Every structure is written in structure tokens, then in C-alpha cells.
Amino acid sequence: METKEMSSPKNKTLGAFAAGLMAATALVATVSVLPSTPAVAQNQLHAAAIDPSKGFADLVDQVMPAVVSVQVKYANVAASEDGQAQGGKQMPGGMEDFFKQFPQFKNMPGMGQGQGQGDQGGEGEDSHPNGGMAMGSGFIISADGYAVTNNHVVKDADQVSVTMKDGTEYKAEVIGTDPKTDLALIKIDGKDKKFDYVAFTKDEPRVGDWVMAVGNPFGLGGTVTTGIVSALGRDIGSGPYDNFMQIDAAINRGNSGGPAFNLEGEVVGINTAIFSPSGGSVGIGFAIPASTAQNVIESLKENGKVTRGWLGVQIQPVTEDIAESLGLKDAKGAIVADVTEDSPALAAGVKQGDTILKIDGKDVSDSRDLSRRVAGIKPGDAVPLTIVRDGKTMDIEVKIGTMPDDPKMASKDGKEDGEKSVSLANLGLKVSPAQDGAGVTVTEVAPGSAAADLGLKAGDTILEVAGTEVHAPSDVRAALKANDKKKVLMLVKTDEGQRFIALPTAKG
């Protein structure tokens, strides 16, 4: 996957955006008491679409009995290095660790300073030495008490309980969690009680659709807000399968794990995070789409964990430069930077440099799209891949495998070359033979050069130039001489993996 140095303009923008992202979970010291209201019929909640011009009261009555407040208790709460109480992590996935790279974000709301958020009118984080509690939201999806919430709400919990609309509290058990999508399935211990429940929508939401969020912000319980779907397919850096739905219905701390409904009373998303410089809602919330959540939840219910499809390739997006160097019409698809040993891709004949345009008949927009699509395919299923190789489009069949816990990357063998460091001035590089003979090592990158702008740095290894393996500087020169395009495609190995870059040549 292509990466850039954190000092680049793009990553400065990402860093600024990251400063306002926080999970919508509240750490509190007391349990809020919900108002008592009569329960309605104990069955699936479904009704005709609501007319928003007449208000949302009927929709609220329809779905509210299936929405729960989730309370999580931790037996031992010890302060971390930055003062955060452990348990009740405020950031989903790896988002919090990512933010800690930036010292200026250390004191941002949600980064765990043990300080109350009193200026927001809500209850703050609990750092009591003898225990702690986190509060979030959830919703029931079956009459026997299975319910959905966020992984970061129940992660590492010692006790979990839920509170219903009428104030009744039940114990709950964590059935399974999936940190990669920040989802969790819990089972409410209701004995023989039949619970009201809601269903996931089967329709894809559209930008501009009405949504209603229900949850437990700041421990208040039973809170309803409305808005619209603001955007789709958002990547907020919380995990490898980010595909968030952005909504402007107000969600705050404690809304994590709560549902966002359409006008038919179906769940279209699970509220997970907000963008907020202040810690309060500014109308930018992120929800996990129902299409993502449903498959994950079904897998958690059946297996207690998520089983994902696996292709076994290291991929990166096809940029405009890469598309030009490959002679592709559009900058779409995912280019294969490496093929994993003993993988389905290797068995099917996928090669480095192949550009994957479709999988199972569906267009691939970029590398993240391919990752999501592969993960959603049942292991063992054979599907077609449409690829471009050496300028030719072809279809190959691949049998999807099961994603391993720690995929092993493919390796190459090569021979040493005795040449010393050689200047490739037209590319802004100096290279020398790699110690293991696999490629050439970059020894110097000219400041301000195209190579520097693309993130190439001393210590990186160039494995291929224009589709040809290189083992010596002379190989690089020969490949450049044979290249007739304005840009030359290079396969580069860095500390973070392999990626392709497209460097302008003197011919450009």
C-alpha cells in the first residue's frame, strides 16, 4: 500500500482532521436512571414509512423499545501514561494510537486526560482507583436478546449490562467482537423474555436520505436526533475496512453503538465516531453501514469471531501517474505490489504489477474497495478476477481463502553485484546493489526531486523498473533506456512493505 511521510501536506491535513475525531463513548462515575415508560408489544418493530412533514413521533414509538443503554464495568482501573483510565477506550480501532504520534493532539477531547467534560453539559471520564464504568448504546436484533454495540464500548469489560426504555436492567454477555470494524455482539440475559427488536435495512442508503439516531449521550439515555446522510464511503483511519456513512444527526459521547434508522424503522448504520474539535457534536458523525455490520454480526453469532475472505496480495491504489505509466485509460482499480507465499492469488497465477479492475464481476474503485470486497467473500468460493497485465485485459479464477492471523509476505532471492553507488541524475537518485542481490538500494535522494516528492528515501530498495527485475545499477539504466513512456513505473520495497511509484523520465 502506498504511504507518504507524515510531513507531507496531505498528512498535515489528515492530522488536523484526526485531531477532531473521537469515539462516541462516555466514561462516567454513576449510572443514569432512565425514565419509566410502558413497554410495547414484544416482537419485531416494523411499520410503514414515516412522513417527516408530520414529525418523527410515530417512528420514535416504533423503534425506541429495541434501543438500549449499555453499561460496562471494569474491576481495576489504572492510569495510563497520559492519565487515561484503562478500560472504556475512547477511540475505536487503532485511531487513538495514531493520534498519539502528534504531541499537539495529546490533550484533545477523548484522548483520556481523566478530566470531566463539564463545559459540554455531560459527565466526564471516571478515573476512580477502585473501578470504572463506560457507557454506550446498543440495539436488539432478535427476540431472544442478541444486541449490537461497538467493540470499543465493551472491550476488556468485566461486567456488561443494558437498560431498557422502561428502566429495566439486565445483565449481558459479550458473544464476540471485531476490532477491525469496531463491532460487537452481546446477549442479554432475559431468561424467557421475548424482546422487541429491529432489523437491518436491505437497501443501500443514499446521500440526502433522512436518518434518526437514538442512543445514550452523556448517560442521559433515550435521546433522539434527526438529520440526513451527508456522505458515503468515508475513510477515517480507524481500520482496514473503513467505509463509514457520514450523518449530520447530532451524536455525542455515549451514542457509540447506537442505531441510525431510516424512515421505515430499519437500521441503516451503527453510530461510532464524531469529528469534533470541541468534544461536542458539530454535525459530523460517522456510522458503520448496515451492509457491513450485518455480515460481521452474523459471523460473530455463528462463530464468535469474524471469518474473512483472503486473496493474499499487497496492493495500492492506481494513481494518475501509475495509470499513465501502465497505459491505463482511468486511474481505477488496485495494482499488485506483492503476492504472498502459499496464497490463493499465487495459486491462481496473480503476478506483481497486475492491475485488478474487477472481482466477482464488480468494479474495483481502489485498493481499499478491493480489500473490503475480498473480505466479504465466503472462503472457499471461486470468483473471477479481471486484471490488466502487460497492457492486456484478462480474466482469471481464484479460490478465496481464509484470512490468516498474520499473513507471511512473499520473498525474493537474488545475487550480489559488485557495482558501487551510481548516479541516476535524471531521476534524482543514487543507487547501489542491494546486499542480498534483490534489487538496488537507494543511497541518496535529491531534495526537491520528483523521487523525494513521491516519498522515496535512502535505504529503500528498487526491485523492478518498467516491469523488469533489477539487481544492479546497470539493470536500472537498461530498463530506463527501453522505457518509451514519459513516466517509469518502479516497484519499491520500504520498511512498511512494497509499493509502486511512477517517476517522470527525461523523455517527459
Side-chain angles (χ1 to χ4, degrees):
M1 187 83 56
E2 183 174 4
T3 59
K4 292 189 178 180
E5 296 297 317
M6 294 308 301
S7 59
S8 70
K10 178 179 179 181
N11 282 283
K12 287 181 180 178
T13 303
L14 175 62
F17 178 73
L21 274 172
M22 57 184 290
T25 309
L27 282 175
V28 297
T30 59
V31 178
S32 298
V33 179
L34 300 180
S36 292
T37 52
V40 297
Q42 294 170 347
N43 49 27
Q44 182 176 4
L45 302 168
H46 185 74
I50 302 297
D51 180 357
S53 66
K54 297 179 181 178
F56 297 87
D58 289 342
L59 181 58
V60 173
D61 289 342
Q62 176 184 334
V63 302
M64 186 69 85
V67 182
V68 297
S69 298
V70 180
Q71 294 87 34
V72 179
K73 294 181 181 179
Y74 306 92
N76 297 300
V77 180
S80 65
E81 291 180 2
D82 62 0
Q84 179 180 0
Q86 294 297 315
K89 192 174 183 180
Q90 292 298 292
M91 297 289 172
M95 207 186 300
E96 182 176 348
D97 292 335
F98 174 76
F99 294 156
K100 287 180 179 177
Q101 300 177 66
F102 307 93
Q104 64 269 37
F105 301 154
K106 186 176 181 181
N107 296 319
M108 63 177 272
M111 284 301 288
Q113 299 305 305
Q115 302 294 324
Q117 300 291 332
D119 59 332
Q120 297 169 39
E123 297 184 50
E125 299 171 346
D126 174 28
S127 57
H128 192 281
N130 297 320
M133 177 178 288
M135 299 191 74
S137 305
F139 57 96
I140 303 171
I141 58 170
S142 65
D144 55 353
Y146 282 98
V148 176
T149 186
N150 280 140
N151 170 64
H152 75 263
V153 172
V154 298
K155 181 177 172 14
D156 300 325
D158 291 294
Q159 295 180 31
V160 179
S161 62
V162 301
T163 304
M164 313 297 291
K165 177 191 175 188
D166 63 1
T168 305
E169 187 173 341
Y170 296 93
K171 292 181 180 179
E173 175 189 1
V174 177
I175 301 300
T177 63
D178 182 41
K180 291 183 178 179
T181 56
D182 197 21
L183 288 168
L185 179 67
I186 61 176
K187 177 70 164 59
I188 301 170
D189 183 9
K191 306 299 182 185
D192 296 324
K193 178 178 174 58
K194 298 297 182 182
F195 293 95
D196 300 299
Y197 65 98
V198 289
F200 289 108
T201 184
K202 295 180 180 179
D203 300 322
E204 290 295 325
R206 300 170 60 200
V207 174
D209 283 351
W210 280 101
V211 289
M212 183 178 78
V214 185
N216 181 33
F218 303 117
L220 294 172
T223 299
V224 176
T225 57
T226 61
I228 63 169
V229 175
S230 303
L232 298 170
R234 292 297 198 203
D235 176 2
I236 64 174
S238 69
Y241 306 114
D242 275 17
N243 184 31
F244 285 92
M245 176 174 64
Q246 181 183 326
I247 64 176
D248 68 355
I251 57 177
N252 289 283
R253 286 187 174 197
N255 275 110
S256 274
F261 292 103
N262 61 19
L263 296 182
E264 285 75 31
E266 300 167 328
V267 177
V268 294
I270 296 90
N271 303 319
T272 297
I274 61 173
F275 173 78
S276 175
S278 64
S281 174
V282 294
I284 302 178
F286 300 100
I288 302 165
S291 56
T292 298
Q294 191 164 12
N295 292 335
V296 171
I297 295 304
E298 287 177 358
S299 187
L300 290 176
K301 186 174 181 180
E302 292 178 5
N303 308 310
K305 63 179 183 178
V306 178
T307 302
R308 291 186 168 89
W310 180 57
L311 185 58
V313 290
Q314 184 179 336
I315 52 177
Q316 67 182 78
V318 178
T319 63
E320 294 287 349
D321 288 344
I322 290 176
E324 181 181 345
S325 66
L326 290 173
L328 298 176
K329 183 179 179 181
D330 299 309
K332 294 182 179 179
I335 188 168
V336 178
D338 203 359
V339 182
T340 306
E341 291 180 342
D342 302 322
S343 67
L346 188 65
V350 177
K351 297 181 179 180
Q352 281 182 352
D354 287 349
T355 302
I356 301 174
L357 300 180
K358 292 184 179 182
I359 184 167
D360 200 15
K362 300 178 178 64
D363 290 337
V364 172
S365 59
D366 55 29
S367 55
R368 294 189 69 87
D369 185 36
L370 177 62
S371 296
R372 288 193 295 266
R373 292 188 184 279
V374 171
I377 298 174
K378 185 178 179 180
D381 285 358
V383 297
L385 280 182
T386 300
I387 66 172
V388 175
R389 179 184 296 166
D390 299 328
K392 298 178 181 179
T393 302
M394 63 181 72
D395 288 327
I396 60 176
E397 187 175 83
V398 58
K399 185 177 181 180
I400 299 298
T402 301
M403 182 178 291
D405 293 332
D406 185 20
K408 192 169 70 172
M409 300 307 298
S411 62
K412 291 185 178 348
D413 294 322
K415 298 179 180 180
E416 282 197 33
D417 190 293
E419 296 182 52
K420 297 180 179 179
S421 183
V422 174
S423 174
L424 301 172
N426 58 322
L427 298 179
L429 296 173
K430 282 187 178 181
V431 297
S432 65
Q435 289 186 355
D436 61 0
V440 295
T441 300
V442 177
T443 58
E444 188 176 327
V445 180
S449 65
D453 290 342
L454 289 170
L456 206 61
K457 60 185 184 298
D460 291 345
T461 302
I462 299 173
L463 299 174
E464 292 182 5
V465 176
T468 302
E469 288 189 3
V470 294
H471 303 287
S474 57
D475 294 339
V476 177
R477 284 179 167 168
L480 290 173
K481 185 176 181 180
N483 178 64
D484 59 356
K485 296 183 174 67
K486 294 180 179 179
K487 294 184 178 180
V488 61
L489 194 67
M490 293 185 175
L491 179 63
V492 179
K493 183 179 180 181
T494 71
D495 292 338
E496 298 177 352
Q498 294 181 186
R499 64 188 176 102
F500 284 99
I501 62 171
L503 277 179
T505 66
K507 299 170 186 176

